[in-house]
mmCIF file of all heavy atoms in Angstrom:
data_model
loop_
_atom_site.group_PDB
_atom_site.id
_atom_site.type_symbol
_atom_site.label_atom_id
_atom_site.label_comp_id
_atom_site.label_asym_id
_atom_site.label_seq_id
_atom_site.Cartn_x
_atom_site.Cartn_y
_atom_site.Cartn_z
ATOM 1 N N LEU A 267 4.618 15.224 -46.740
ATOM 2 C CA LEU A 267 4.367 13.816 -46.478
ATOM 3 C C LEU A 267 3.305 13.715 -45.402
ATOM 4 O O LEU A 267 3.499 14.235 -44.274
ATOM 5 C CB LEU A 267 5.660 13.125 -46.043
ATOM 6 C CG LEU A 267 5.553 11.625 -45.716
ATOM 7 C CD1 LEU A 267 5.171 10.839 -46.952
ATOM 8 C CD2 LEU A 267 6.856 11.128 -45.120
ATOM 9 N N MET A 268 2.218 13.062 -45.724
ATOM 10 C CA MET A 268 1.101 12.955 -44.779
ATOM 11 C C MET A 268 0.967 11.502 -44.335
ATOM 12 O O MET A 268 1.032 10.574 -45.138
ATOM 13 C CB MET A 268 -0.206 13.377 -45.471
ATOM 14 C CG MET A 268 -0.167 14.768 -46.100
ATOM 15 S SD MET A 268 -0.051 16.122 -44.913
ATOM 16 C CE MET A 268 -1.718 16.180 -44.317
ATOM 17 N N LYS A 269 0.778 11.330 -43.035
ATOM 18 C CA LYS A 269 0.536 10.017 -42.466
ATOM 19 C C LYS A 269 -0.984 9.811 -42.346
ATOM 20 O O LYS A 269 -1.622 10.330 -41.454
ATOM 21 C CB LYS A 269 1.190 9.873 -41.098
ATOM 22 C CG LYS A 269 1.061 8.473 -40.501
ATOM 23 C CD LYS A 269 1.794 8.361 -39.174
ATOM 24 C CE LYS A 269 1.688 6.950 -38.602
ATOM 25 N NZ LYS A 269 2.409 6.818 -37.325
ATOM 26 N N THR A 270 -1.525 9.053 -43.288
ATOM 27 C CA THR A 270 -2.947 8.832 -43.320
ATOM 28 C C THR A 270 -3.384 7.643 -42.482
ATOM 29 O O THR A 270 -4.584 7.487 -42.194
ATOM 30 C CB THR A 270 -3.430 8.596 -44.764
ATOM 31 O OG1 THR A 270 -2.663 7.490 -45.322
ATOM 32 C CG2 THR A 270 -3.146 9.822 -45.622
ATOM 33 N N GLY A 271 -2.426 6.768 -42.083
ATOM 34 C CA GLY A 271 -2.779 5.610 -41.277
ATOM 35 C C GLY A 271 -3.709 4.667 -42.017
ATOM 36 O O GLY A 271 -3.713 4.564 -43.261
ATOM 37 N N ASN A 272 -4.512 3.909 -41.252
ATOM 38 C CA ASN A 272 -5.549 3.025 -41.835
ATOM 39 C C ASN A 272 -4.972 2.103 -42.888
ATOM 40 O O ASN A 272 -5.529 1.931 -43.982
ATOM 41 C CB ASN A 272 -6.700 3.839 -42.413
ATOM 42 C CG ASN A 272 -7.270 4.836 -41.438
ATOM 43 O OD1 ASN A 272 -6.708 5.105 -40.393
ATOM 44 N ND2 ASN A 272 -8.409 5.392 -41.775
ATOM 45 N N ARG A 273 -3.811 1.513 -42.596
ATOM 46 C CA ARG A 273 -3.132 0.661 -43.584
ATOM 47 C C ARG A 273 -3.974 -0.561 -43.973
ATOM 48 O O ARG A 273 -3.846 -1.084 -45.071
ATOM 49 C CB ARG A 273 -1.785 0.210 -43.026
ATOM 50 C CG ARG A 273 -0.908 -0.476 -44.077
ATOM 51 C CD ARG A 273 0.521 -0.568 -43.631
ATOM 52 N NE ARG A 273 0.724 -1.426 -42.484
ATOM 53 C CZ ARG A 273 1.119 -1.014 -41.299
ATOM 54 N NH1 ARG A 273 1.335 0.288 -41.079
ATOM 55 N NH2 ARG A 273 1.295 -1.856 -40.285
ATOM 56 N N ASP A 274 -4.825 -1.046 -43.065
ATOM 57 C CA ASP A 274 -5.650 -2.167 -43.393
ATOM 58 C C ASP A 274 -6.742 -1.805 -44.393
ATOM 59 O O ASP A 274 -7.344 -2.697 -45.030
ATOM 60 C CB ASP A 274 -6.327 -2.718 -42.114
ATOM 61 C CG ASP A 274 -6.961 -1.625 -41.275
ATOM 62 O OD1 ASP A 274 -6.559 -0.463 -41.433
ATOM 63 O OD2 ASP A 274 -7.838 -1.936 -40.440
ATOM 64 N N ILE A 275 -7.006 -0.490 -44.594
ATOM 65 C CA ILE A 275 -8.033 -0.041 -45.548
ATOM 66 C C ILE A 275 -7.394 0.416 -46.858
ATOM 67 O O ILE A 275 -7.816 0.014 -47.947
ATOM 68 C CB ILE A 275 -8.881 1.081 -44.949
ATOM 69 C CG1 ILE A 275 -9.607 0.576 -43.692
ATOM 70 C CG2 ILE A 275 -9.883 1.588 -45.982
ATOM 71 C CD1 ILE A 275 -10.406 1.664 -43.000
ATOM 72 N N TYR A 276 -6.330 1.252 -46.758
ATOM 73 C CA TYR A 276 -5.747 1.866 -47.941
ATOM 74 C C TYR A 276 -4.519 1.109 -48.485
ATOM 75 O O TYR A 276 -4.099 1.385 -49.607
ATOM 76 C CB TYR A 276 -5.348 3.306 -47.649
ATOM 77 C CG TYR A 276 -6.436 4.114 -46.998
ATOM 78 C CD1 TYR A 276 -6.200 4.860 -45.842
ATOM 79 C CD2 TYR A 276 -7.724 4.124 -47.530
ATOM 80 C CE1 TYR A 276 -7.198 5.608 -45.246
ATOM 81 C CE2 TYR A 276 -8.726 4.871 -46.910
ATOM 82 C CZ TYR A 276 -8.463 5.614 -45.787
ATOM 83 O OH TYR A 276 -9.455 6.319 -45.179
ATOM 84 N N GLY A 277 -3.962 0.214 -47.699
ATOM 85 C CA GLY A 277 -2.755 -0.503 -48.147
ATOM 86 C C GLY A 277 -1.473 0.198 -47.810
ATOM 87 O O GLY A 277 -0.421 -0.462 -47.750
ATOM 88 N N SER A 278 -1.492 1.486 -47.642
ATOM 89 C CA SER A 278 -0.319 2.261 -47.287
ATOM 90 C C SER A 278 -0.761 3.394 -46.361
ATOM 91 O O SER A 278 -1.802 3.986 -46.570
ATOM 92 C CB SER A 278 0.388 2.815 -48.522
ATOM 93 O OG SER A 278 1.456 3.678 -48.172
#
Side-chain angles (χ1 to χ4, degrees):
L267 180 64
M268 308 291 284
K269 184 176 182 180
T270 57
N272 306 13
R273 190 165 66 246
D274 49 339
I275 299 177
Y276 310 131
S278 175

